[in-house]
């Protein structure tokens, strides 16, 4: 089995980058599962995939043929990921998704035996602009939170608002809150 890579974010916190269909079934019980599976089909359209490649001089080159190398999620995959995530986690399951998919992930995690708690928001102030000018850029993602452990859930965030800014802040804040 080949994984993209494994990174250590903090003591006891590993980030596994790769295909969840390979990674999840290979793992034993863990404290938490944080996953960013493929988004729905509309996020895979070419209109959503317009990219700006840095030219190094402060300008960007528009790239219009940036096809994704993986398919969008379907309901069978969503149920598989939800079931495996709940099976593995002794605590929290956090699933990054587009806002339109929050209810589908809530239902899939509940169907897998998880206890849906709420959707959270990851605000991305440096998100990719909407280069074609046909609408606003997507400045956030949703994070679906479900408790998969025994007994009452324990969120070390002290009940603070479930709003996270930028990747570094998001990852480190989530790691602290789930301990």
């Amino acid at each position: 089995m080949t994984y993209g890579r494994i990174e250590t974010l903090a003591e006891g916190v590993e980030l596994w980058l790769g295909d969840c269909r390979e990674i999840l079934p290979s793992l034993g019980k863990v404290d938490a599962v944080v996953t960013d599976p493929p988004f729905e089909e509309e996020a895979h359209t070419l209109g959503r995939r317009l990219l700006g490649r840095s030219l190094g001089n402060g300008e960007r080159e528009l790239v219009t043929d940036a096809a994704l190398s993986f398919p969008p999620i379907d309901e069978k995959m969503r149920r598989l990921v939800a079931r495996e995530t709940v099976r593995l986690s002794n605590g929290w399951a956090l699933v990054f998704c587009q806002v339109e998919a929050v209810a589908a992930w809530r239902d899939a995690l509940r169907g897998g035996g998880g206890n849906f708690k709420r959707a959270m928001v990851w605000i991305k102030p440096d998100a990719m602009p909407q280069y074609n000018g046909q609408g606003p850029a997507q400045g956030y993602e949703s994070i679906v939170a479900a408790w998969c452990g025994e007994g009452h859930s324990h969120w070390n965030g002290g009940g603070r608002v479930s709003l996270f800014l930028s990747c570094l802040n998001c990852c480190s804040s989530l790691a602290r809150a789930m301990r």
Side-chain angles (χ1 to χ4, degrees):
M1 192 167 320
T2 306
Y3 304 121
R5 66 181 190 265
I6 301 172
E7 295 181 11
T8 300
L9 300 178
E11 184 178 336
V13 179
E14 290 181 344
L15 177 64
W16 291 47
L17 303 161
D19 189 328
C20 66
R21 294 171 296 185
E22 295 177 5
I23 294 172
L24 290 174
S26 73
L27 297 174
K29 284 288 197 180
V30 296
D31 292 334
V33 175
V34 179
T35 185
D36 190 4
F39 281 7
E40 278 60 34
E41 190 168 351
E42 67 264 18
H44 285 248
T45 62
L46 188 55
R48 293 280 298 263
R49 299 302 310 155
L50 294 175
L51 301 175
R53 182 180 301 138
S54 174
L55 297 175
N57 60 359
E59 294 183 19
R60 300 188 79 80
E61 171 189 23
L62 191 61
V63 179
T64 60
D65 60 349
L68 294 174
S69 62
F70 52 89
I73 196 159
D74 59 24
E75 291 312 307
K76 181 179 178 184
M77 168 70 90
R78 188 185 324 273
R79 287 189 303 272
L80 171 97
V81 170
R83 184 182 67 243
E84 286 296 306
T85 296
V86 171
R87 179 186 67 81
L88 291 171
S89 181
N90 279 326
W92 289 101
L94 302 180
V95 180
F96 284 75
C97 65
Q98 62 193 67
V99 69
E100 297 87 351
V102 167
W105 278 108
R106 175 200 62 207
D107 295 346
L109 288 163
R110 282 179 175 164
N115 181 10
F116 171 79
K117 291 295 187 174
R118 70 184 28 93
M120 302 184 295
V121 178
W122 171 31
I123 295 179
K124 306 186 296 185
D126 57 350
M128 182 68 70
Q130 182 77 25
Y131 284 109
N132 66 10
Q134 295 179 352
Q138 186 68 31
Y140 70 96
E141 287 183 33
S142 297
I143 309 169
V144 174
W147 177 250
C148 304
E150 297 291 325
H152 293 289
S153 60
H154 308 281
W155 187 262
N156 197 26
R160 287 188 296 273
V161 173
S162 56
L163 176 74
F164 302 92
L165 294 171
S166 80
C167 185
L168 180 59
N169 186 11
C170 181
C171 293
S172 60
S173 295
L174 285 173
R176 283 192 306 272
M178 291 185 299
R179 287 188 173 172

